[in-house]
């Protein structure tokens, strides 16, 4: 196995000689390895992309290459995003991937002395992560290229509602009778969410380059807990920054994981919201349009609704999409996200006030 992986690495256009390949990280989608070479402190990351999830990997890789090259061009002398940014290496025929026995392999630089976090352990870390995501958006605010939609309907609530209606109609796993309360809670919010989604569809909220997985685990830090860069660009697409901000608020401000069964533990942390928002706006404030500024407060509500909808759909369908650890897992997740949605709605005025204050005082 290792010899085959080294042979794959040798097909990429790098000067160093690969010596050793070891498993790296704990990702659930792609297969990832660290490649050690004959040059000290010069390593790489080799990754097998999951073709079951990503249906057009060549187009996806072109997205990633275009975005990373744009960032590298703008950030080489930047104090927040130094030269240690994610870089995609071409293979010797010029493609940003190697095909081996029908599988797609990608090589990127390994960024030394970097660390990641599973959760924001304190408000200072949330503020710095927000700054990192904001910088990522700021660097890409003038990106002009076309990006392929890697996952159909991702963050498209019009598409999700069609799936939802079909799910309710078919009731594949015959579970609908047991989740009437949860279905009702989501349905009564449908019109509000649909109106907001229309602003995105119409272009009232501008389309931008978005990361689409803005959890803290996709931000690299150094040993001083300063941001190095953002990583994991598999879902980079054209969408709205509202989606990225909203997913960050969903994951940063909740006091429990999305797998928590005890809903009393699922609360909104206003100080975490303030910290992340301050960091984010400190980097992206000048690039935001007025309509984005006015609607940023709703981002967490919008994305949390979508995630609750998707978890509940998967449960009703018989758990065909998300990996589960026990039969009610998706139902637990759906209830968890509905509780968070209710918490965010209760704090809507606070979120408006915080955003307005930060915009006026940063």
């Amino acid at each position: 196995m290792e010899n085959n992986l080294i042979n794959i690495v040798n097909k990429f256009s790098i000067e160093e000689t690969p010596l050793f390949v070891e498993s790296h990280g704990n990702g659930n989608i792609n297969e990832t390895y660290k490649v050690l070479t004959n040059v000290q402190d010069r390593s790489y990351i080799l990754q097998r992309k999951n073709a079951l999830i990503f249906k057009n990997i060549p187009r996806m890789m072109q997205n990633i290459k275009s975005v990373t090259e744009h960032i590298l061009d703008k950030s080489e002398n930047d104090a927040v995003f130094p030269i240690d940014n994610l870089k995609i290496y071409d293979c010797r025929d010029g493609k940003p991937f190697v095909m081996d026995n029908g599988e797609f392999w990608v090589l990127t630089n390994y960024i030394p002395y970097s660390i990641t976090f599973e959760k924001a352990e304190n408000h200072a870390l949330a503020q710095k992560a927000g700054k990192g995501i904001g910088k990522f958006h700021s660097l890409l605010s003038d990106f002009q290229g076309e990006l392929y939609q890697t996952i159909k309907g991702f963050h498209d609530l019009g598409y999700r509602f069609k799936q939802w209606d079909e799910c309710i109609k078919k009731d594949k796993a015959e579970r609908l009778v047991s989740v009437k309360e949860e279905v009702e809670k989501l349905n009564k919010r449908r019109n509000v969410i649909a109106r907001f989604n229309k602003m995105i569809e119409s272009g009232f909220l501008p389309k931008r380059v978005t990361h689409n997985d803005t959890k803290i685990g996709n931000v690299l830090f150094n040993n001083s807990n300063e941001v190095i860069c953002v990583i994991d660009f598999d879902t980079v697409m054209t969408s709205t920054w509202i989606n990225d901000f909203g997913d960050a608020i969903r994951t940063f401000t909740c006091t429990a994981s999305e797998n928590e069964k005890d809903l009393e533990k699922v609360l909104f942390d206003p100080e975490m919201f303030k910290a992340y928002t301050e960091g984010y706006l400190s980097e992206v404030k000048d690039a935001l349009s007025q309509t984005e500024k006015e609607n940023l407060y709703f981002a967490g509500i919008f994305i949390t609704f979508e995630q609750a909808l998707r978890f509940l759909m998967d449960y009703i369908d018989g758990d065909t999409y998300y990996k589960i650890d026990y039969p009610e897992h998706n139902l637990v997740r759906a209830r968890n996200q509905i509780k968070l949605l209710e918490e965010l709605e209760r704090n809507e005025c606070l979120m408006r006030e915080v955003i307005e204050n930060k915009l006026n005082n940063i």
Side-chain angles (χ1 to χ4, degrees):
M1 176 63 172
E2 184 179 343
N3 286 338
N4 183 54
L5 293 178
I6 288 178
N7 288 337
I8 291 172
V9 176
N10 279 324
K11 295 179 181 180
F12 287 93
S13 298
I14 60 173
E15 297 178 359
E16 300 81 9
T17 302
L19 299 178
F20 183 69
V21 179
E22 59 186 11
S23 183
H24 182 77
N26 56 358
N28 294 323
I29 295 178
N30 300 312
E31 197 173 288
T32 306
Y33 301 89
K34 182 179 177 182
V35 181
L36 284 74
T37 73
N38 62 325
V39 177
Q40 188 175 7
D41 289 334
R42 186 59 172 169
S43 301
Y44 295 90
I45 292 294
L46 177 69
Q47 196 170 66
R48 181 180 66 83
K49 297 297 183 181
N50 189 331
L52 296 176
I53 300 294
F54 305 111
K55 303 301 184 182
N56 192 329
I57 292 175
R59 294 287 298 275
M60 179 185 81
M61 289 309 304
Q62 192 55 55
N63 280 3
I64 296 173
K65 187 174 181 182
S66 296
V67 167
T68 53
E69 287 181 351
H70 186 89
I71 292 173
L72 283 167
D73 286 345
K74 295 188 69 175
S75 65
E76 183 170 350
N77 298 312
D78 193 282
V80 177
F81 275 46
I83 191 60
D84 282 339
N85 255 295
L86 194 66
K87 180 178 179 181
I88 305 297
Y89 289 88
D90 290 338
C91 65
R92 301 195 186 279
D93 65 3
K95 296 177 181 177
F97 57 85
V98 162
M99 281 203 71
D100 182 75
N101 292 324
E103 296 182 325
F104 292 85
W105 294 87
V106 174
L107 194 73
T108 66
N109 54 323
Y110 171 75
I111 300 176
Y113 313 113
S114 60
I115 56 176
T116 59
F117 296 91
E118 289 297 314
K119 60 178 291 187
E121 298 173 351
N122 52 61
H123 299 146
L125 199 62
Q127 190 269 344
K128 290 175 181 178
K131 191 176 182 69
I133 299 295
K135 191 66 178 182
F136 170 81
H137 281 171
S138 178
L139 288 169
L140 289 162
S141 61
D142 60 348
F143 182 87
Q144 298 296 318
E146 292 291 328
L147 295 180
Y148 169 71
Q149 291 303 104
T150 309
I151 300 176
K152 182 183 178 181
F154 204 72
H155 291 324
D156 179 350
L157 264 293
Y159 175 74
R160 296 299 181 196
F161 281 136
K162 290 178 183 177
Q163 289 183 314
W164 172 251
D165 291 338
E166 190 70 15
C167 164
I168 297 299
K169 180 180 178 181
K170 290 185 176 180
D171 188 18
K172 287 182 183 178
E174 299 182 344
R175 292 173 170 178
L176 190 58
V177 67
S178 66
V179 294
K180 285 185 176 180
E181 181 180 350
E182 289 77 16
V183 169
E184 183 180 349
K185 285 182 177 180
L186 294 179
N187 276 340
K188 77 177 185 179
R189 293 169 168 85
R190 177 168 178 162
N191 288 340
V192 173
I193 297 297
R195 283 197 297 271
F196 190 84
N197 192 61
K198 286 291 184 184
M199 290 196 292
I200 298 172
E201 291 178 339
S202 68
F204 185 73
L205 292 169
K207 298 293 179 68
R208 310 273 203 169
V209 177
T210 49
H211 185 279
N212 295 302
D213 192 10
T214 48
K215 61 189 178 186
I216 195 169
N218 285 331
V219 180
L220 281 190
F221 295 83
N222 63 21
N223 290 329
S224 300
N225 288 351
E226 298 295 335
V227 172
I228 298 175
C229 66
V230 174
I231 58 171
D232 193 356
F233 291 172
D234 286 359
T235 54
V236 159
M237 289 180 270
T238 301
S239 183
T240 167
W241 285 350
I242 294 286
N243 291 337
D244 274 0
F245 184 77
D247 203 31
I249 297 311
R250 182 183 75 85
T251 55
F252 277 80
T253 68
C254 188
T255 57
S257 80
E258 64 186 21
N259 298 307
E260 178 57 59
K261 297 179 182 180
D262 185 354
L263 298 184
E264 291 187 3
K265 295 180 180 179
V266 181
L267 302 170
F268 171 77
D269 184 339
E271 297 304 316
M272 196 67 78
F273 178 82
K274 292 175 186 176
Y276 182 88
T277 300
E278 178 178 351
Y280 178 75
L281 292 178
S282 71
E283 292 293 339
V284 81
K285 172 186 171 182
D286 292 339
L288 287 168
S289 70
Q290 187 59 33
T291 54
E292 287 170 315
K293 292 174 183 178
E294 291 171 355
N295 289 282
L296 204 57
Y297 76 94
F298 199 75
I301 294 172
F302 183 71
I303 293 299
T304 304
F305 175 92
E306 179 194 30
Q307 193 58 64
L309 190 82
R310 293 181 66 191
F311 280 143
L312 191 56
M313 270 198 294
D314 201 28
Y315 179 73
I316 295 169
D317 276 342
D319 309 306
T320 60
Y321 185 85
Y322 291 106
K323 180 181 177 181
I324 59 170
D325 295 328
Y326 53 91
E328 296 80 25
H329 197 170
N330 273 323
L331 179 56
V332 166
R333 290 163 166 162
R335 287 172 173 164
N336 175 296
Q337 292 297 282
I338 290 171
K339 174 64 187 308
L340 177 59
L341 176 61
E342 293 167 345
E343 290 290 309
L344 289 166
E345 288 170 340
R346 276 194 284 272
N347 285 276
E348 184 177 313
C349 289
L350 180 146
M351 291 189 288
R352 280 180 182 264
E353 291 171 3
V354 168
I355 291 168
E356 183 177 351
N357 178 267
K358 299 300 182 186
L359 286 171
N360 290 332
N361 292 288
I362 289 175

